[in-house]
């Protein structure tokens, strides 16, 4: 008798740090057949970096889903994804040292994720964060992680929690012209000029931006255009 492979489940996970390091949280969400959020969980981390939050979110997702369930995991963290898919084999060969001979950052979390990935079918898929009409599962996980970081409380479908609120980092789909809303200049007298990033970097909101992504100048440096008016 041939055992049937279980159907693949689509999920997303995300972490947030308000300050990097700062108040942090993690979240994961599993989709139903129509790729709408079905089951989710989020939790606080106290003070932690964005990378710790991202890795913790992945670890909690893998812990929550049975190991015989094939997974597609959507993430907006290239660091967390590359850490466990691209860099990890080399780190292990070098005795958990980087190419520069330094100890691997967040090694305990990476080792735990490596153990959870062993023998299971997982496909990682990178999705950009904070996009208008972006991936709705990643957006849900992003909002849940951000809420957990802010309030430092656990939430989730098993707790009967309401859907996490909208993220201030995601641009609205309706423009100011079509909605009739008034626009204002960014605080601190910064211009509205945007450009394509030559190199990857990190915005004041704590999230990374990739080379080629549109960025704008704010009082603290370069970052996401929608963060130009963010209070820090």
């Amino acid at each position: 008798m041939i055992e049937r492979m279980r159907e693949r489940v689509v999920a997303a996970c995300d972490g947030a740090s308000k300050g990097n390091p700062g108040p942090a949280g993690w979240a994961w969400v599993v989709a139903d057949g129509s790729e709408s959020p079905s089951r989710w969980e989020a939790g606080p981390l106290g003070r932690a970096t964005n990378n710790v939050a991202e890795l913790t979110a992945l670890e909690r997702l893998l812990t929550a889903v049975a190991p015989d369930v094939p997974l597609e995991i959507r993430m907006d963290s290239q660091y967390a994804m590359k850490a466990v898919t691209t860099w990890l084999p080399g780190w292990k060969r070098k005795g958990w040292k980087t190419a520069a001979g330094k100890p691997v950052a967040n090694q305990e979390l990476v080792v735990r994720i490596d153990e959870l990935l062993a023998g299971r079918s997982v496909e990682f898929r990178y999705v950009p964060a904070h996009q208008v009409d972006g991936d709705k599962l990643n957006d849900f996980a992003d909002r849940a992680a951000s809420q957990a970081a802010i309030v430092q409380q656990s939430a989730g479908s098993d707790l009967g929690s309401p859907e996490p609120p909208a993220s201030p980092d995601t641009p609205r789909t309706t423009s100011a012209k079509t909605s009739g809303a008034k626009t204002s200049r960014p605080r601190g007298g910064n211009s509205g000029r945007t450009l394509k990033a030559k190199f990857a970097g990190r915005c004041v909101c704590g999230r990374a931006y990739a080379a080629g992504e549109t960025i704008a100048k704010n009082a603290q440096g370069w970052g996401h255009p929608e963060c130009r008016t963010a209070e820090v």
Side-chain angles (χ1 to χ4, degrees), residues 9-223:
V9 168
V10 178
C13 59
D14 204 1
S17 176
K18 306 302 181 179
N20 199 32
W26 55 269
W28 57 261
V29 57
V30 172
D32 60 17
S34 63
E35 294 199 3
S36 295
S38 172
R39 186 165 63 99
W40 65 281
E41 185 180 5
L45 281 172
R47 183 179 175 82
T49 65
N50 197 59
N51 287 344
V52 167
E54 298 278 8
L55 289 171
T56 300
L58 177 57
E59 187 269 336
R60 297 299 177 93
L61 170 61
L62 292 171
T63 301
V65 178
D68 62 334
V69 175
L71 272 175
E72 176 187 309
I73 301 178
R74 299 176 183 177
M75 306 177 68
D76 61 37
S77 170
Q78 296 210 41
Y79 161 77
M81 188 180 301
K82 288 181 178 179
V84 300
T85 60
T86 304
W87 303 329
L88 192 148
W91 289 342
K92 291 170 75 173
R93 286 195 305 270
K94 293 179 172 66
W96 293 103
K97 292 289 197 304
T98 66
K102 296 181 179 180
V104 172
N106 310 313
Q107 179 181 328
E108 187 176 334
L109 272 169
V110 176
V111 170
R112 172 64 177 154
I113 292 169
D114 184 38
E115 293 171 348
L116 289 167
L117 287 172
R120 67 193 301 168
S121 174
V122 178
E123 176 188 349
F124 288 93
R125 178 180 162 195
Y126 172 74
V127 291
H130 309 138
Q131 304 294 305
V132 174
D133 299 326
D135 185 83
K136 58 186 177 181
L137 288 180
N138 174 256
D139 175 69
F140 190 102
D142 172 81
R143 291 186 283 124
S146 182
Q147 178 75 352
I150 293 169
V151 303
Q152 288 294 296
Q153 291 181 0
S154 298
S157 50
D158 289 349
L159 297 175
S161 305
E163 181 174 321
S167 170
D169 297 329
T170 303
R172 295 181 181 179
T173 55
T174 305
S175 68
K177 285 185 179 179
T178 56
S179 66
K182 293 182 179 179
T183 59
S184 59
R185 291 184 62 189
R187 295 187 184 98
N190 297 313
S191 72
R193 185 171 65 94
T194 61
L195 51 78
K196 299 291 185 181
K198 289 185 178 180
F199 307 100
R202 190 165 297 279
C203 178
V204 66
C205 71
R207 293 191 169 277
Y209 56 82
E213 189 173 340
T214 300
I215 56 174
K217 187 72 177 292
N218 60 45
Q220 293 76 34
W222 291 91

